[in-house]
Amino acid sequence: VLGIVGPVIVAWQSSLQHETIHGHPSNEYVSLLFGYPPISIFYPYLLYKRTHLDHHRNQLTNPKEDPESFYIAKSGWQNASEIRRRTLMVTQTLAGRLLIGPLVTIFDFYTKEMSTIWKLGFGAPNLRIWVEHLILVALIIVWVVHICQISLFSYLLLCVYP
């Protein structure tokens, strides 16, 4: 049951997050109520909102400017390790995009974010967002594991990752 109901709930909330980013419903507090809780764990809502709106602000036909593009610039390809190149080639297929695409996207996002925080320390612009996010994720994990009695592994594998 968890493998069916869990992903539906997480996908439903992710869809609601997307709608709230675009201003639906129009009430900001209602949008935050539905969009902010990180039941999908990996992305802080405010960072998702920022990058997704950048995706729409930039020229969607210019993959170098679109933060949601899978485009690989020639220089990025040339500077990539062999493992990175193979991973990028796999994510250009439907199966690769579905099976490891989320992991690659999460890894790239975290690498960029943590690099910025590491360089700027307490002056990092997203540090407060990450601290809030981690606190909320901890509360969700406590709720999932202790109240719902779902193992963290099952929650991540069956609900969050799909």
Side-chain angles (χ1 to χ4, degrees):
V1 173
L2 177 65
I4 296 169
V5 176
V8 169
I9 292 170
V10 173
W12 174 75
Q13 198 252 353
S14 295
S15 180
L16 280 174
Q17 279 185 326
H18 183 260
E19 292 306 314
T20 65
I21 286 169
H22 288 288
H24 310 290
S26 58
N27 182 309
E28 182 181 349
Y29 297 107
V30 173
S31 293
L32 286 174
L33 177 68
F34 288 112
Y36 209 85
I39 66 170
S40 59
I41 292 184
F42 295 113
Y43 293 106
Y45 174 74
L46 295 177
L47 296 183
Y48 171 50
K49 182 176 181 177
R50 183 183 309 151
T51 60
H52 187 67
L53 291 176
D54 284 348
H55 157 76
H56 286 289
R57 264 192 287 278
N58 291 315
Q59 296 179 1
L60 295 178
T61 56
N62 183 349
K64 291 181 181 178
E65 306 232 349
D66 182 357
E68 295 183 12
S69 172
F70 279 84
Y71 175 78
I72 305 154
K74 186 176 181 179
S75 62
W77 181 260
Q78 290 171 336
N79 294 329
S81 68
E82 185 63 28
I83 292 172
R84 178 69 173 167
R85 286 183 186 181
R86 288 178 189 253
T87 303
L88 292 170
M89 286 184 353
V90 169
T91 60
Q92 296 305 310
T93 67
L94 177 61
R97 187 74 52 92
L98 293 174
L99 295 174
I100 67 166
L103 187 62
V104 171
T105 302
I106 291 164
F107 177 80
D108 290 347
F109 178 72
Y110 276 38
T111 300
K112 181 182 172 197
E113 284 293 311
M114 294 309 119
S115 174
T116 301
I117 290 171
W118 184 259
K119 287 177 189 172
L120 300 177
F122 289 112
N126 296 339
L127 184 61
R128 182 187 63 68
I129 293 170
W130 278 104
V131 169
E132 286 177 5
H133 178 74
L134 292 173
I135 292 168
L136 291 172
V137 165
L139 292 173
I140 294 220
I141 289 171
V142 166
W143 177 70
V144 165
V145 173
H146 296 289
I147 306 298
C148 299
Q149 297 189 349
I150 300 169
S151 76
L152 180 58
F153 180 77
S154 294
Y155 182 67
L156 293 176
L157 185 67
L158 299 173
C159 300
V160 175
Y161 193 74

